[in-house]
């Protein structure tokens, strides 16, 4: 049964912006992984570790529910899931072992190029499209702004042109996508990087020893990259 298996389970994004860097981090920590295409689980050949390759959105929940022991995910996705679970009275415990040096981006408010914007108050009564309704909701509440939040899982940047929203709140790294869609970044509401997280109730000695062996290697790799 799954509960008796003492192999350390690490969740990583299967394919996307965090996959290559996550894999590279594991490799530089000495994990020999056979990542055959389309496989959900990859066994590490030289350590008692299994790598689970999933959608990034599933990683916080897998760790918070104790189904995976460790996970690499963006703070934006992690914080959104935490806020959602707090509202749902669902468990949302985890420990951040390390803030990593990849996956950097910001969650920003953007408006059509020609629209005027004088701070958050300009959003009053407006409709804002986002994939991160809880992070945006928290920001609007802090700013004392009443706006309607529309949740879209994708194509957020086309929402204003499609007449679905007046503004958006979306992830930005270079700003090229915003520009291509006639939008202007006006406020940063959250700055994110990838983090390595651990489930709260991990007590197995063998697993804890393995983590204690991995952490100095991760720190070493990050120092070498500086
Ligand atoms: P999945 O199929 O796993 O759900 P996704 O399409 O939701 O993938 P990606 O676009 O691969 O996710 O982004 C994963 C994470 O990479 C983001 O949640 C964020 O933390 C980080 N990231 C870094 N730069 C950017 C960017 N410019 N746009 C979006 N995400 C970025
Ligand atoms: Zn996703």
């Amino acid at each position: 049964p799954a509960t008796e298996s003492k192999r350390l389970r690490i969740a990583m994004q299967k394919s996307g912006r965090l996959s290559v860097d996550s894999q590279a981090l594991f490799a530089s920590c000495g994990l020999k992984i056979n990542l055959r295409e389309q496989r959900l689980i990859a066994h590490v050949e030289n350590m008692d570790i299994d790598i689970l390759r999933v959608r990034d959105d599933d990683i916080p929940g897998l760790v918070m529910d104790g189904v995976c022991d460790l996970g690499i995910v963006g703070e934006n996705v992690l914080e959104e899931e935490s806020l959602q679970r707090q509202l749902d009275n669902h468990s949302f415990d985890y420990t951040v072992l390390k803030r990593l040096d990849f996956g950097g981006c910001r969650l920003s408010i953007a408006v059509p190029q020609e629209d005027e914007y004088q701070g958050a108050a300009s959003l009053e009564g407006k409709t804002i499209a986002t994939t991160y309704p809880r992070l945006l909701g928290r920001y609007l509440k802090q700013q004392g702004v009443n706006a309607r939040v529309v949740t879209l899982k994708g194509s957020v940047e086309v929402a204003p042109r499609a007449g679905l929203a007046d503004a958006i709140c979306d992830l930005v790294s270079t700003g090229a996508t915003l520009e291509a869609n006639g939008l202007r970044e006006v406020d940063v509401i959250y700055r994110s990087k990838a983090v390595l997280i651990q489930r709260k109730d991990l007590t197995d000695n063998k697993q804890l020893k393995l983590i204690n062996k991995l952490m100095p290697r991760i720190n070493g790799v990050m120092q070498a990259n500086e």
Side-chain angles (χ1 to χ4, degrees):
T3 48
E4 275 176 32
S5 143
K6 294 290 185 246
R7 288 174 76 83
L8 193 72
R9 283 194 208 167
I10 310 180
M12 65 168 275
Q13 188 185 24
K14 178 165 186 166
S15 70
R17 292 173 195 265
L18 303 179
S19 315
V20 170
D21 288 319
S22 300
Q23 267 177 58
L25 182 65
F26 294 145
S28 37
C29 288
L31 278 67
K32 295 218 182 321
I33 313 169
N34 188 355
L35 288 180
R36 257 179 285 160
E37 296 300 314
Q38 304 308 326
R39 282 276 181 101
L40 169 66
I41 300 181
H43 298 281
V44 175
E45 292 163 17
N46 56 340
M47 288 178 221
D48 285 338
I49 300 176
D50 290 335
I51 305 288
L52 265 91
R53 298 156 76 212
V54 295
R55 294 280 310 268
D56 68 338
D57 316 69
D58 294 335
I59 295 172
L62 287 169
V63 174
M64 291 172 187
D65 291 333
V67 175
C68 288
D69 304 302
L70 303 182
I72 294 180
V73 68
E75 290 168 314
N76 53 312
V77 171
L78 181 62
E79 188 68 8
E80 179 71 20
E81 180 72 18
S82 296
L83 292 172
Q84 184 62 55
R85 283 177 170 238
Q86 285 173 55
L87 288 167
D88 297 344
N89 280 317
H90 204 298
S91 61
F92 60 94
D93 261 2
Y94 60 87
T95 305
V96 175
L97 292 181
K98 191 77 189 170
R99 194 169 198 234
L100 302 168
D101 53 6
F102 58 84
C105 58
R106 49 196 193 269
L107 186 62
S108 292
I109 307 278
V111 299
Q113 213 75 257
E114 63 282 3
D115 285 12
E116 66 160 329
Y117 184 88
Q118 282 144 353
S122 299
L123 298 170
E124 183 70 31
K126 298 284 173 63
T127 299
I128 311 168
T130 188
T131 309
Y132 301 93
R134 298 307 171 200
L135 283 170
L136 174 59
R138 179 172 72 181
Y139 174 76
L140 293 172
K141 200 172 167 193
Q142 279 164 359
Q143 299 292 319
V145 170
N146 284 302
R148 184 158 63 135
V149 175
V150 175
T151 305
L152 292 177
K153 293 281 181 195
S155 307
V156 172
E157 68 283 353
V158 304
R161 223 184 328 134
L164 297 174
D166 304 301
I168 67 167
C169 174
D170 204 6
L171 294 175
V172 184
S173 49
T174 64
T177 307
L178 290 182
E179 205 173 312
N181 286 282
L183 300 169
R184 172 165 70 94
E185 183 179 7
V186 290
D187 263 322
V188 177
I189 75 160
Y190 190 83
R191 289 187 191 276
S192 179
K193 279 192 174 182
V195 281
L196 175 66
I197 56 171
Q198 181 189 309
R199 74 181 165 94
K200 255 285 149 73
D201 49 354
L202 196 135
T203 51
D204 183 81
N205 260 325
K206 229 179 88 187
Q207 296 185 335
L208 289 170
K209 271 176 93 171
L210 199 44
I211 294 169
N212 285 337
K213 193 166 104 177
L214 290 177
M215 289 315 294
R217 297 188 185 181
I218 291 176
N219 290 327
V221 170
M222 284 181 61
Q223 264 162 28
N225 287 345
E226 263 174 17

